[in-house]
Amino acid sequence: VKDEAQKLKYYETITQQSERLSRLVENLLDFSKIEAGMKEYEFAKADVAGLVEEAIAGFRSQATQQGIRIETEIAEETPSVLLDREAVQRAVSNLLDNALKHTPEGAPAVSISTARRPDRLEIFVEDRGEGIPAAALPHLFEPFYRPDVSRSRKTGGYGLGLSLCKAIIDAHGGSIDLVSTLGEGTRVTVTIPRSAPDAF
């Protein structure tokens, strides 16, 4: 390929697909450890704002190709929290991946924001995509559950992202909540206590 613009396009596509494959493999490995009761978390003081920004950086190219903006609103003076940085970043990445996969090209922005509360931190990931049928909502955190087979074939994945997110956040003594309206979009709220979980 001699055209530089075309070279760049191919490079970005290869990079994007490689990153998606890497996330998929990491999800499968994590799921295997969790199912076998072998997953260990390493709790240490971590900058939540920093890990959120790093997760976003991994999707900038993909969002640009889709013509979707990633809007951010990170709370000022976000405190460091005892958590497993890699695990929580993976959870946020899975949520961003879902938001971008289910937002049509050129649609309004995907947004990610944080809020500081006296006893906890909250992370919000919201899209204005296709939304999820009400009947599917109670099953979304079940491993391998995919609400629409035809949609899942188009976007890929094995239906592990949300179940892994829940396992990670549960291990931190937090919670994850999802609300969605068909045709309007989805909002996920992750809550992480500012103190370490009892297991730590």
Side-chain angles (χ1 to χ4, degrees), residues 127-143:
D127 68 67
R128 300 169 186 85
E130 57 201 22
I132 301 167
L137 294 177
H139 307 286
L140 289 178
F141 294 102
E142 298 173 6

Side-chain angles (χ1 to χ4, degrees), residues 101-174:
K101 282 193 297 189
H102 300 302
T103 299
E105 291 190 7
V110 164
S111 66
I112 179 166
S113 58
T114 66
R116 176 181 178 178
R117 311 296 184 200
D119 60 342
R120 66 192 187 279
L121 288 177
E122 294 174 335
I123 302 171
F124 308 95
V125 179
E126 185 172 7
D127 68 67
R128 300 169 186 85
E130 57 201 22
I132 301 167
L137 294 177
H139 307 286
L140 289 178
F141 294 102
E142 298 173 6
F144 303 108
Y145 178 79
R146 296 185 294 177
D148 184 328
V149 174
S150 62
R151 181 175 70 171
S152 298
R153 288 196 186 119
K154 180 180 70 174
T155 58
Y158 287 100
L160 283 177
L162 285 175
S163 63
L164 279 175
C165 286
K166 187 176 188 312
I168 290 168
I169 301 307
D170 283 351
H172 286 73

Side-chain angles (χ1 to χ4, degrees), residues 22-128:
S22 178
R23 285 194 296 271
L24 178 59
V25 171
E26 289 169 351
N27 281 348
L28 287 168
L29 290 173
D30 262 7
F31 178 74
S32 297
K33 290 178 182 178
I34 291 169
E35 285 291 283
M38 298 173 61
K39 177 65 178 176
E40 296 182 357
Y41 294 93
E42 298 181 5
F43 290 89
K45 284 279 187 179
D47 172 21
V48 174
L51 74 83
V52 169
E53 292 287 1
E54 285 182 24
I56 293 168
F59 291 91
R60 290 288 186 194
S61 176
Q62 178 181 337
T64 299
Q65 284 191 330
Q66 292 180 227
I68 299 171
R69 298 189 321 279
I70 299 179
E71 296 178 343
T72 62
E73 186 176 343
I74 308 301
E76 293 184 5
E77 300 179 0
T78 302
S80 295
V81 178
L82 277 171
L83 49 75
D84 184 312
R85 193 179 198 284
E86 181 181 345
V88 173
Q89 185 172 327
R90 180 164 299 146
V92 174
S93 293
N94 279 330
L95 295 177
L96 277 171
D97 191 29
N98 279 348
L100 287 170
K101 282 193 297 189
H102 300 302
T103 299
E105 291 190 7
V110 164
S111 66
I112 179 166
S113 58
T114 66
R116 176 181 178 178
R117 311 296 184 200
D119 60 342
R120 66 192 187 279
L121 288 177
E122 294 174 335
I123 302 171
F124 308 95
V125 179
E126 185 172 7
D127 68 67
R128 300 169 186 85

